[in-house]
Amino acid sequence: MERIYIQQANEASEEVLDMWNVDRRGFLGLVATGPLASHPSANADLAQTKQTSVQAAQAAIDAAAQGGANSDIIEALRALLGGLASDAVSQGNVPIYATVAGLPALSIPIGISALRTNGYAVVGDGGAWPLAIEVENSGVIAPWQVLSNGDTRRWQLKTYEIVLEMFGGRPDAVYAGTAPNQMLISGTDNVPAIQAALAYLATLNTSRNGGGRIQLEYGQYYFSKPVNLKNRTHLVGRNAAGTAGDFCTEMIFPQNSDGITINGSETVDDRIQAPSTSSAGGSLIECVSIRSLGGADRTKHGIRVRSRSLLRDVNVINFPGNGIHIVAGSKSKEPDRRGNANFWRIERGYIAGNQHGVFVDSSDVNGGYGIGLTCYHNRGAGILDSSFLGCDWFACGAHGNGLLSCCSYKGNRYYAVSETSAELQKTEPGTNERVWALEGPGGVVGRYRDWTPGNKLEWLRGGPIIVADDNSSSTVFGGYLGESNQPPAVFSDKNMSLGGFRGAGSIGNGLQVGNGVATNFKSLATSGRVDIANSASGVSESLSLHNGGKLNKKRGASIAFYVSYKEDGATKRPAGSIVGRATGKQADCSTAIDLVYFDGGKQALVTSASFGERGIIAGVDTAFDLGSNNARWTNGYIQRLRPGDGDVFWTSGDGSPEGKVEAPVGSLYTRTDGAPGTTLYVKEAGTNNTGWVAK
């Protein structure tokens, strides 16, 4: 038997030595070719590589030893083989093995300190380890480590770019049914794989809070529970932002489950975690479609953003809660609202079939922006921005939203204004416009559900975009925010739209510039709204000021003038303002203004005037002056001057007033074509047009 192995080794030795560029020196090298190719110790899959020469030689040595070869020869072969193995590693010729799963059954040659594989469980399954290095064999084996040589040697993955298949992940999920409630047919649970990948990345650059990348391939990955990011992570798939199924990467989550949470240092999923640990702030999620199989738990969201991060080219589809849920307050005591997500970013996305598409709320979600979002067929708003200081939205589209926001009742269509489903259930449409606002006649149309007394249906305020915080200063730039029978956009105080809401009306008090559609204005807050270069009901308006009080309350619009600063150089000192005024709850505020000046920071009313058929009317009797003895008007053109209590008047005209000018006793008349004794007339008797006496 010894002669057979040594003969085989001799026959192959020249080929091995040529491959390694070494002289013979008595070395009996061997590759897995010829008669030895079928030997169980040889790795025939990798026989054509330099690395395999070492492996095959090791196999031949082991086989020769088993066959009874001379021990001195065997030891000499092992020593030379170890030198060649070390030389191979030093030259970057890292040996390649078939699979990670197969390594425990192998005996890696002494001298090899790094290796690669061609797969995880099966060659070509996408889970190849690009590099594994030998580490100390102690402690609990981690998911990114594998043993060999009878569990005496340990190998650890070394890479910053993870493919989920490196930990046994598989994009093989199959689901069926019609949204919103679907079911999983089959599929690998990828939770262990993603947890292993995240745990591995957490070991890298611990001083910099992680920073590795997880690549997801085409297909559907199923996750039986939410994915929690606790370190800065780059999670990237293939395509998405409008694509689905086999054309992109899909992450599938069960009914009534969150999808991905980007945690802050004090949070984990929807809870507060103390003491503070690492943060996923700075994470990037891109080119991934995140889908829920449905459910009814409105607290389960697609992507929870609790720390500053970037979402790019993402789909978020069919979650029972919000698609993208950006809620964070650094001082909040509510577990699901703690965090700091100021300056969040979303660049392109398709957000469909959720409660609200994108929901932004709380004190530390400011300065974020959304670009190129398509929010489609969400039950509430496409975008609901209730940030404390404001965010910006660029070129976003929102159509077909408000699926739970519209009703039909007694031949009319209404949309929800109230934010409370219970109030919308019990309030009869048409009786309170603060709960249900009239959209128009038409009865049952498409997706408009019937409102019935005592109904228990779920209702939700919605529309293309709702900017709901009166303290914020959010801005919408361009885009088309309204199609497919959805309620109007809502803009509260200090918020602004540039380019308007193409395809839908709007309500609220925000500034609108260039609104190309009719504006269904209803005051929702306490200050006025300005529209610039708009078209309301087909009438072009260069500038329009709207009253701004709450519905059924006194309200008015104003223009304030600021011309100087206080001593601190920063605080504006208002010099005056024109303020719209209403005298009754439903008064037409466009017919009244107040003129106000400020003296030493104290407001003083100059005059108050109403405009209507009777002209300009002082708001307070005998309270205001017109000019002064050293600040006079040059000319005053008045048809009738009424001094005193206003009963008598002074007027003028051609000819005698007798018989043609009615006036009370005491009135004066100046005759423009008079002569001495017939220029001034005084009304001395009667109440009609007689009793005039020339003076």
Side-chain angles (χ1 to χ4, degrees), residues 6 32 41 45 85 96 138 140 203 227 231 301 336 382 386 404 425-426 459 470 489 495 510 587 590 602 605 666 668:
I6 292 201
S41 299
D45 289 333
I96 302 176
S138 63
V140 178
T203 67
V227 173
N231 292 278
H301 312 295
D336 63 343
S386 188
L404 302 183
Q425 289 172 354
K426 70 181 182 180
W459 301 100
D470 292 345
N495 299 286
S590 65
K602 296 181 179 180
L605 191 65
L668 301 177

Side-chain angles (χ1 to χ4, degrees), residues 221-294:
Y221 293 84
Y222 176 71
F223 299 85
S224 64
K225 57 185 179 180
V227 173
N228 268 290
L229 304 185
K230 278 296 295 178
N231 292 278
R232 182 169 54 250
T233 304
H234 182 188
L235 182 65
V236 57
R238 305 287 187 184
N239 290 339
T243 57
D246 293 335
F247 299 101
C248 72
T249 299
E250 278 196 319
M251 299 177 69
I252 311 298
F253 292 89
Q255 293 186 9
N256 299 314
S257 169
D258 284 326
I260 299 174
T261 297
I262 303 171
N263 284 289
S265 60
E266 297 179 302
T267 74
V268 57
D269 52 62
D270 61 352
R271 296 173 286 120
I272 294 176
Q273 175 177 279
S276 299
T277 57
S278 57
S279 168
S283 290
L284 166 61
I285 300 175
E286 61 176 332
C287 299
V288 177
S289 182
I290 301 170
R291 175 184 290 273
S292 170
L293 296 180

Side-chain angles (χ1 to χ4, degrees), residues 423-439:
E423 187 175 33
L424 291 162
Q425 289 172 354
K426 70 181 182 180
T427 304
E428 180 181 356
T431 63
N432 187 342
E433 62 181 344
R434 292 290 296 168
V435 180
W436 287 106
L438 177 66
E439 180 176 327

Side-chain angles (χ1 to χ4, degrees), residues 511-567:
L511 170 66
Q512 297 193 72
V513 179
N515 193 17
V517 299
T519 300
N520 178 19
F521 176 76
K522 294 183 184 296
S523 297
L524 296 179
T526 57
S527 65
R529 186 182 81 188
V530 179
D531 290 348
I532 301 174
N534 290 344
S535 175
S537 300
V539 178
S540 178
E541 299 176 348
S542 296
L543 172 66
S544 61
L545 306 180
H546 296 266
N547 54 331
K550 292 183 178 180
L551 290 176
N552 302 317
K553 302 292 183 181
K554 293 183 179 181
R555 53 198 192 271
S558 66
I559 302 176
F561 303 93
Y562 298 87
V563 296
S564 63
Y565 291 85
K566 293 184 178 180
E567 291 74 9

Side-chain angles (χ1 to χ4, degrees), residues 371-603:
I371 299 177
L373 305 182
T374 298
C375 299
Y376 178 76
H377 278 198
N378 295 287
R379 294 180 291 277
I383 298 169
L384 199 160
D385 179 354
S386 188
S387 55
F388 179 60
L389 297 178
C391 301
D392 297 309
W393 306 92
F394 302 83
C396 295
H399 52 102
N401 298 289
L403 295 176
L404 302 183
S405 306
C406 304
C407 78
S408 296
Y409 185 66
K410 292 185 177 180
N412 291 320
R413 300 193 308 273
Y414 297 87
Y415 60 85
V417 177
S418 171
E419 300 177 18
T420 307
S421 183
E423 187 175 33
L424 291 162
Q425 289 172 354
K426 70 181 182 180
T427 304
E428 180 181 356
T431 63
N432 187 342
E433 62 181 344
R434 292 290 296 168
V435 180
W436 287 106
L438 177 66
E439 180 176 327
V444 178
V445 177
R447 58 190 176 85
Y448 287 65
R449 298 179 298 168
D450 285 333
W451 187 95
T452 57
N455 76 88
K456 299 299 181 182
L457 298 174
E458 179 184 7
W459 301 100
L460 183 66
R461 184 185 185 189
I465 182 169
I466 297 175
V467 183
D469 195 311
D470 292 345
N471 187 73
S472 70
S473 297
S474 292
T475 305
V476 173
F477 297 87
Y480 62 97
L481 287 161
E483 285 184 347
S484 304
N485 295 324
Q486 57 187 341
V490 178
F491 254 49
S492 60
D493 296 358
K494 297 188 293 186
N495 299 286
M496 179 170 60
S497 164
L498 302 180
F501 300 101
R502 301 175 179 90
S506 63
I507 62 176
N509 307 84
L511 170 66
Q512 297 193 72
V513 179
N515 193 17
V517 299
T519 300
N520 178 19
F521 176 76
K522 294 183 184 296
S523 297
L524 296 179
T526 57
S527 65
R529 186 182 81 188
V530 179
D531 290 348
I532 301 174
N534 290 344
S535 175
S537 300
V539 178
S540 178
E541 299 176 348
S542 296
L543 172 66
S544 61
L545 306 180
H546 296 266
N547 54 331
K550 292 183 178 180
L551 290 176
N552 302 317
K553 302 292 183 181
K554 293 183 179 181
R555 53 198 192 271
S558 66
I559 302 176
F561 303 93
Y562 298 87
V563 296
S564 63
Y565 291 85
K566 293 184 178 180
E567 291 74 9
D568 60 11
T571 306
K572 290 180 179 179
R573 185 192 303 278
S577 66
I578 303 174
V579 181
R581 174 178 53 80
T583 57
K585 289 185 177 181
Q586 296 297 335
D588 184 352
C589 298
S590 65
T591 66
I593 65 168
D594 290 338
L595 304 178
V596 178
Y597 80 94
F598 294 81
D599 183 12
K602 296 181 179 180
Q603 177 174 315

Side-chain angles (χ1 to χ4, degrees), residues 25-49:
R25 289 174 28 204
F27 174 59
L28 301 178
L30 182 62
V31 292
T33 57
L36 201 56
S38 60
H39 193 279
S41 299
N43 191 338
D45 289 333
L46 306 172
Q48 301 305 313
T49 65

